[in-house]
Amino acid sequence: MLPALLALALQAGPALPGEGAASPPPPDEGPVILFLVDNSASLPPLDPDEKRVAALEKMFTFLRGHRYRLILFGGKDEIAVDDASGYRNDGQWTDFYHAFVRAKALAATYPRGTELRMVLITDAIADPDPKDWPDVPSGWDVRSHSIRKTVELVGGMGIPLYVVLVGNPG
């Protein structure tokens, strides 16, 4: 499933008969894929055999020659960019909003017109740190408020988003 998703994100066309596989684009061509990878502590119990680690390794092998960025995230203060060594699933929180804020900032560093894609890899268990959300409206809980703000943010970014759910909850 992961290779199919990546092919879709890259929008790679099939090679014509008699031609080899399409060559990777030059460094300044093709889409830039922003990978947002959940690095929270809720993942290991859902994937005790660590299949997500093998999947990520295969994914990045598949992407060799393509432009991509890696955002590992837990909570607001648990974000690493382009540092795969930080993939330990030890984040105390899971805050999608702040991961997408970082993705938006990275996207802004590319020239206007650059094709961008986002791929979110997560167990989808939102668990934001309440101290990062002092503006929660009366009657809302932190999780609901952070999800609402995340949907607003992502909707305004104008970047296609693909989501890969990880784990086996049952």
Side-chain angles (χ1 to χ4, degrees):
M1 175 167 142
L2 215 39
L5 175 69
L6 293 174
L8 178 63
L10 293 169
Q11 290 187 344
L16 296 174
E19 295 183 2
S23 62
D28 60 347
E29 292 182 15
V32 176
I33 303 174
L34 307 175
F35 286 95
L36 295 90
V37 179
D38 187 337
N39 200 23
S40 67
S42 64
L43 280 166
L46 296 173
D47 181 24
D49 297 329
E50 295 191 353
K51 291 179 182 178
R52 68 194 178 283
V53 176
L56 281 174
E57 289 170 357
K58 288 178 186 176
M59 178 175 60
F60 291 120
T61 298
F62 178 77
L63 288 168
R64 198 167 289 135
H66 296 281
R67 299 186 300 169
Y68 67 89
R69 305 293 299 271
L70 174 65
I71 302 168
L72 297 173
F73 72 95
K76 179 180 180 181
D77 297 326
E78 301 171 327
I79 297 176
V81 177
D82 297 328
D83 181 10
S85 69
Y87 188 57
R88 294 182 298 273
N89 293 121
D90 60 356
Q92 183 175 359
W93 307 101
T94 306
D95 194 323
F96 300 107
Y97 178 83
H98 291 98
F100 283 109
V101 165
R102 185 63 61 92
K104 183 177 180 179
L106 281 177
T109 66
Y110 290 92
R112 184 179 206 87
T114 301
E115 285 185 74
L116 298 166
R117 309 275 189 278
M118 294 186 294
V119 176
L120 172 64
I121 302 173
T122 181
D123 60 7
I125 300 172
D127 185 24
D129 184 351
K131 77 174 177 53
D132 294 332
W133 293 94
D135 63 338
V136 176
S138 178
W140 284 76
D141 64 20
V142 174
R143 182 176 295 148
S144 298
H145 179 63
S146 73
I147 290 171
R148 182 176 57 86
K149 298 297 280 184
T150 301
V151 170
E152 288 174 6
L153 174 64
V154 172
M157 290 173 68
I159 301 172
L161 171 63
Y162 304 88
V163 179
V164 177
L165 295 176
V166 177
N168 181 8

